[in-house]
Amino acid sequence: TDKTGSKTETVTKPDGSSTTVLEQTDGTTATITISASGKAEAEVKLSASTVQAAQQGGTAAVLPIPEVQPTQNTDSAQVVTVNTGSKTPVKVEIPVADPTPGTVAVLVHADGTETIVKTSVPTADGLTVSLPDGATVKVVDKSKNFADISSQYWGAEAIHFVTARALFTGTSEDAFTPEAPMTRAMLMIVLARFDGSDTRGGATWYEKGMEWAIANGISDGSSPEQNITREQLVTMLWRYAGSPAASGTLSSFTDTEQISGYAQEAMCWAVESGIINGLGGGQLAPQGQATRAQVAQMLKNYIEQ
């Protein structure tokens, strides 16, 4: 029993396996089981007060478990089950050892299938993820290595972030080609993947993504193979976000007269939300072509907001 009144009990068996039970004064409990082979599993039950505080404050409830060590193989990854008692998802933070942009949560479904949680975000000490009651996840390192992305490249973290979450793929097995332009169809595919839509199949590689974009009011589907401009990218992302109202201004930029009328509010929203920061020199470059690296950075900024 510590100074706060929380209790911890560990039982170790002769074969080396152990079970640790933590009971916090607020009612939160955690059970950590380590097998004889060293594989750990954790189950956490958050108290009603902890869940309420997280939901009302827009913060993450930190799980009271030892740091999870990410693995590249999901079969050997530690399993964490979170019980919240809430009818809506609750944002939690899983303590993780040395999280990187490629660290992701993988949701384990009842039938054993697994899905990457694309909205899982690394922090200084862990990984935040919104989970439904009773969800079971693994923490996995999905980092990809690309020969044309050095650790000093300005967009390296964003590229590792989006590729680990299967939003982007490389242009080849070991190349990302960050400065290549994105097409409108490519962004439709990326946003459809982010939304959980299956983009496989179709008469063209982008047909399923384009159908999704049209059905959801993201794009009219015109000129799919045309390179996408920065203002078109922002507008499609804004529509995906539900076309939120923006209260900010673009007065700090010198080229706002180049923004098309349809993209004005979307640009205000993107700047206000920190999704787009300009290219330096007071330039938003709304008519400029969006590169793969720029799109990766904006998507990372959107997911992290």
Side-chain angles (χ1 to χ4, degrees):
T1 303
D2 64 19
K3 294 179 180 179
T4 68
S6 296
K7 300 178 181 180
T8 304
E9 180 183 71
T10 299
V11 176
T12 304
K13 297 180 180 180
D15 63 359
S17 63
S18 66
T19 300
T20 298
V21 177
L22 167 69
E23 297 179 1
Q24 293 184 328
T25 54
D26 65 359
T28 293
T29 62
T31 302
I32 300 95
T33 304
I34 301 177
S35 68
S37 63
K39 186 173 181 178
E41 294 187 9
E43 181 168 4
V44 179
K45 183 177 181 180
L46 296 175
S47 66
S49 60
T50 298
V51 170
Q52 185 178 34
Q55 292 177 326
Q56 292 182 348
T59 57
V62 180
L63 303 186
I65 61 175
E67 284 187 334
V68 176
Q69 181 66 52
T71 62
Q72 294 184 332
N73 186 346
T74 57
D75 291 338
S76 60
Q78 179 176 335
V79 175
V80 180
T81 300
V82 182
N83 300 296
T84 65
S86 174
K87 295 181 179 179
T88 57
V90 177
K91 188 176 183 181
V92 303
E93 180 172 350
I94 304 170
V96 176
D98 301 319
T100 71
T103 303
V104 300
V106 175
L107 186 65
V108 182
H109 301 285
D111 62 0
T113 58
E114 300 178 349
T115 304
I116 294 174
V117 183
K118 297 176 175 63
T119 54
S120 51
V121 175
T123 66
D125 303 308
L127 189 70
T128 61
V129 56
S130 293
L131 297 175
D133 182 35
T136 296
V137 295
K138 298 177 179 179
V139 178
V140 182
D141 180 6
K142 289 283 188 179
S143 299
K144 307 290 191 298
N145 292 317
F146 298 105
D148 57 352
I149 304 298
S150 71
S151 58
Q152 289 77 37
Y153 181 68
W154 70 267
E157 286 194 3
I159 290 167
H160 293 311
F161 183 93
V162 297
T163 53
R165 284 153 184 77
L167 298 174
F168 271 70
T169 57
T171 54
S172 68
E173 186 173 336
D174 61 353
F176 186 81
T177 319
E179 299 303 319
M182 286 276 288
T183 65
R184 290 166 57 83
M186 288 177 183
L187 186 62
M188 294 177 202
I189 288 286
V190 168
L191 290 179
R193 288 173 181 162
F194 181 62
D195 198 57
S197 178
D198 186 353
T199 60
R200 295 171 297 180
T204 61
W205 62 269
Y206 56 78
E207 181 179 355
K208 294 295 184 180
M210 186 169 67
E211 288 176 351
W212 171 88
I214 294 172
N216 289 276
I218 308 301
S219 171
D220 61 5
S222 62
S223 307
E225 298 186 29
Q226 176 182 315
N227 290 342
I228 194 168
T229 65
R230 287 163 57 83
E231 69 174 10
Q232 289 172 349
L233 159 63
V234 165
T235 300
M236 289 173 68
L237 192 57
W238 173 70
R239 289 171 180 163
Y240 178 76
S243 303
S247 57
T249 69
L250 302 174
S251 58
S252 61
F253 298 98
T254 61
D255 57 353
T256 54
E257 76 283 351
Q258 298 178 22
I259 302 174
S260 301
Y262 72 85
Q264 288 283 342
E265 189 167 15
M267 272 293 188
C268 286
W269 165 79
V271 170
E272 179 183 1
S273 303
I275 294 169
I276 189 170
N277 300 306
L279 297 178
Q283 301 288 306
L284 266 177
Q287 302 299 327
Q289 292 183 355
T291 66
R292 286 168 56 81
Q294 289 174 2
V295 176
Q297 185 65 61
M298 290 187 210
L299 280 173
K300 179 175 181 287
N301 293 346
Y302 172 71
I303 293 170
E304 290 180 336
Q305 68 171 333

